[in-house]
Amino acid sequence: MDLQGALEILKRNGYKYTGKRKRLVEVFYRESRYLSAKEVLDYMQEDYPGLSFDTIYRNLALFEDIGIVETTEWQGERRYRFCCGGDEHHHHLICTFCGKTRTLHVCPMNAILGKPEDFDITGHKFEIYGTCSTCKADVAVSKM
Amino acid sequence: MDLQGALEILKRNGYKYTGKRKRLVEVFYRESRYLSAKEVLDYMQEDYPGLSFDTIYRNLALFEDIGIVETTEWQGERRYRFCCGGDEHHHHLICTFCGKTRTLHVCPMNAILGKPEDFDITGHKFEIYGTCSTCKADVAVSKM
DNA sequence: ATGTAAATCGTAAATATTACGTTTTAAATG
DNA sequence: CATTTAAAACGTAATATTTACGATTTACAT
């Protein structure tokens, strides 16, 4: 997914192409990491000071539906990031401090031989959490 | 982990052995599935009608700390279940309707060759979500 | 039986998310 | 370009989950 691709999805599906949505796409594209709703609002309010949570959450849900952002959750908060890796299935190594990720191309589901009986699989989650080198350095400094 | 084991942990570590904690352990042992805080409260209030959320959450956090329950989260809610599989590392196949699980003994981390550079791994999550046969039947019936 | 630290109660606060009636706006239409 | 209309955003309130705190009660050691 690139910047233009996301904007195209919005237009193509008949969604209104507002300045706020354009900016929202840009924020995700620029940051290219997991952001909480609060963080998204903070970035957006740089350009739209009065922007409300309603608009943020509504558009985050929309973006998730139409495949502009992918989501996960940690520390009790939902997080959103620009869809990465194109259409190919992937997983993430995630820094829980800054939300930056690395893409993992292996999927553990391939190693699960056969389908379990009497159980309909609807999804799965594989994520590795940790601290990236930048944040590790920051934490070290903050302890001085 | 068995029922006695959990009660032993409480006693051994010098935690007070209250009727409520005993009952809480029993609830988790009996249900042996993931429960939300609300569900736990409901079960507990059968015996202790005035029980507060404070007590539930405080003891859930304690139980997690001392290894009586393991936790995860889905649909925006934290869930707790009696530790299963003894001390061995494992993952779960989870029915998101009833919280029942099956233990997976494979771990995808074994397939990740080597450690990623410049990244301290603090944890990982691998879960398969779906609908168990019982809940599948229930859903079918509810649609009639 | 008594003292004390821990547990619980009752209630309130913090946090994240969702909902709703009203107003504004993008963009389709004539 | 003016008009229309359905969608988007606003402003605000409600809901749900989790956490916090002073007062009271209780388990357990002495």
Side-chain angles (χ1 to χ4, degrees):
Chain A
M1 175 82 57
D2 60 356
L3 190 60
Q4 288 310 316
L7 296 176
E8 283 304 317
I9 289 178
L10 274 176
K11 289 180 182 173
R12 179 153 30 86
N13 293 56
Y15 292 104
K16 289 196 178 169
Y17 187 70
T18 66
K20 281 158 194 165
R21 285 189 172 156
K22 181 163 171 292
R23 196 81 196 80
L24 188 55
V25 170
E26 286 168 3
V27 165
F28 278 114
Y29 177 71
R30 169 162 54 82
E31 293 298 318
S32 69
R33 60 189 180 92
Y34 276 110
L35 301 169
S36 67
K38 181 75 176 60
E39 285 176 301
V40 173
L41 181 66
D42 287 344
Y43 281 124
M44 290 295 289
Q45 286 189 335
E46 293 174 3
D47 295 274
Y48 301 95
L51 199 68
S52 70
F53 262 116
D54 179 279
T55 300
I56 295 296
Y57 277 112
R58 200 168 11 77
N59 281 309
L60 289 177
L62 171 66
F63 280 19
E64 185 178 3
D65 278 352
I66 62 182
I68 292 179
V69 299
E70 45 192 308
T71 73
T72 189
E73 171 280 330
W74 72 82
Q75 290 165 5
E77 251 179 309
R78 227 164 143 54
R79 321 264 174 162
Y80 307 78
R81 68 153 295 150
F82 202 62
C83 275
C84 62
D87 292 334
E88 74 176 301
H89 181 70
H90 62 281
H91 294 283
H92 281 137
L93 197 79
I94 303 172
C95 174
T96 51
F97 281 86
C98 67
K100 285 209 191 81
T101 63
R102 292 184 204 180
T103 301
L104 298 169
H105 295 283
V106 297
C107 174
M109 294 305 280
N110 297 331
I112 306 292
L113 304 177
K115 295 176 186 171
E117 289 181 24
D118 294 331
F119 193 94
D120 282 356
I121 293 178
T122 56
H124 68 281
K125 186 171 191 172
F126 174 44
E127 289 176 338
I128 303 176
Y129 308 105
T131 314
C132 73
S133 54
T134 307
C135 291
K136 210 178 344 178
D138 289 349
V139 170
V141 167
S142 73
K143 283 184 180 169
M144 291 196 303
Chain B
M1 174 84 55
D2 60 355
L3 191 60
Q4 288 309 318
L7 297 176
E8 284 303 317
I9 289 178
L10 274 176
K11 288 180 183 174
R12 179 152 31 86
N13 293 56
Y15 292 103
K16 290 194 178 174
Y17 187 70
T18 67
K20 280 158 195 166
R21 284 187 172 159
K22 181 160 172 293
R23 196 82 195 79
L24 188 56
V25 170
E26 285 168 3
V27 165
F28 277 113
Y29 178 72
R30 170 162 53 83
E31 293 297 320
S32 69
R33 61 189 179 91
Y34 275 109
L35 301 170
S36 67
K38 181 76 175 60
E39 285 177 300
V40 172
L41 181 66
D42 287 343
Y43 281 124
M44 291 296 289
Q45 287 188 335
E46 291 173 5
D47 295 271
Y48 301 93
L51 198 69
S52 70
F53 262 117
D54 178 280
T55 302
I56 296 294
Y57 278 111
R58 201 168 8 79
N59 281 309
L60 289 177
L62 172 66
F63 279 19
E64 185 179 1
D65 278 352
I66 61 182
I68 291 179
V69 300
E70 45 192 308
T71 73
T72 188
E73 171 280 330
W74 72 82
Q75 289 164 6
E77 251 179 309
R78 225 164 146 56
R79 322 264 173 162
Y80 307 78
R81 69 153 293 150
F82 203 62
C83 276
C84 62
D87 292 333
E88 75 178 299
H89 181 70
H90 63 281
H91 295 282
H92 282 135
L93 197 77
I94 303 173
C95 175
T96 50
F97 282 86
C98 67
K100 286 208 191 81
T101 64
R102 291 185 206 178
T103 301
L104 298 169
H105 296 283
V106 296
C107 174
M109 294 306 279
N110 297 332
I112 306 291
L113 304 177
K115 294 176 186 172
E117 288 182 26
D118 294 330
F119 194 94
D120 281 358
I121 293 177
T122 56
H124 67 281
K125 185 170 190 171
F126 174 44
E127 290 176 336
I128 303 176
Y129 308 105
T131 314
C132 72
S133 53
T134 306
C135 290
K136 211 178 344 179
D138 289 349
V139 171
V141 168
S142 72
K143 284 183 180 171
M144 293 196 305

